[in-house]
Amino acid sequence: MTTTRFAPSPTGYIHVGNLRTALMNYLIARKSGGTFILRIDDTDPERSKEEYVDAIKQDLEWLGLTWDKVERQSKRLDRYADAADKLREINRFYEAFETPVELDLKRKKQLNMGKPPVYDRAALGLSEAEKTALREERGNGVWRFKLDQERIEWTDGILGDISIDAASVSDPVLIRGDGQVLYTIASVVDDTDMGVTNVVRGSDHVTNTATQIQIIKALGGTCPDFAHHSLLTGPQGEALSKRLGTLALRDLREAGVKPMALLSLMARLGSSDPVELRTEMAELIEGFDINRFGSAPTKFDSEDLYPLTARYLQGLTAEQVKDELDDLGVPQAQQAAFWAMAKENISTLKDLGGWWDLCINGADPLIAEEDQAFVAEAMSMLPEGPYDAESWKTWTTAVKEATGRKGKGLFMPLRKAITGMERGPDMGVLLSLMQVIRARG
């Protein structure tokens, strides 16, 4: 059975980059009838905060990405310690004591010599007495996994055949000097213990995956199927990392973006399939295929979410947005007519307020100087209500006969005078709504 996981760190809010990983893993699990695990990577006690754990769950629930179980890495420290002990027993784990400054100097020296900046394994040559002296001087060292310096190969679900020379990679640090367990080993132990069969994550993890494959094998585990999706960029191809703080899911939610609009975009972005609005999660699940995604950087523009949200809203009934209409104070008897008019002219539900205000308060007229006399004459011909859907046509026909104006020269000045806008909904519908709601106001 397929088992996938989403493993966010509770050090901030989920953003669109995180969502891409979460969604792909979710869709794979659901399409196969498998298990989707929410695994909280909270091994860093200083940066991990419970408020972010709650926020992660809230954001996923808002999107409808339900999980089958929750795991907390902070409750699994004993398992990571066991794995570390096993690596020591098989001589694949060693303690190193270089300071960050010393490591930086080594890297610079290697680069100056035209060599790759790979850790030189100097710690392997330390005697027990030297290690003891270094601990007394500097405290505990970091623990590095000793890579077999051979090629690491796998077939990636998106990138295809991958081959990385382990000799070109530094032995990864798995445990810090202060004892904190790092992602690389925690993830390996969890994936093995929890039977994770498929891992989808960003292409910035490719080298990390290579080292994890060796760790998995050293611990006697079975490697999952890996797939590395492309990284998101801004609409012009610029790095998105600097903007991720403004692309948190809760910010998009606050801006009025609807879950299915966001999911419809993210489930297809970067694939060979066109982005199409889906209104049900089942449609996204059925149409998802990880093999249809490419490796090229993928452009993301948050503005693309608003036309999709608008299309989603157009498919809703007045009853489905009743809470929002009630909050605005739209009379029950007029909610269906108001929603039918407004839904074709909004990007998000936040835009409803402007149309409601127009209906009950009118607008500041927008009248060009050359149209002032015409508009004044036309307004003098506007009959008292009540108005219906035919009132606009009856009125403008009379104005046309009286003034000789026709076409755009007739309709545009009147629209602008009444709504303060150059475009909008059918004026027959809007005029009727303005009169009826004013009468009830």
Side-chain angles (χ1 to χ4, degrees), residues 68 99 188 207 314 320 330:
D68 298 297
T99 66
V188 162
T207 300
Q314 288 166 13
Q320 289 172 298
V330 180

Side-chain angles (χ1 to χ4, degrees), residues 313-327:
L313 294 176
Q314 288 166 13
L316 300 182
T317 65
E319 186 63 28
Q320 289 172 298
V321 294
K322 179 173 172 51
D323 289 346
E324 287 80 4
L325 298 177
D326 286 344
D327 288 344

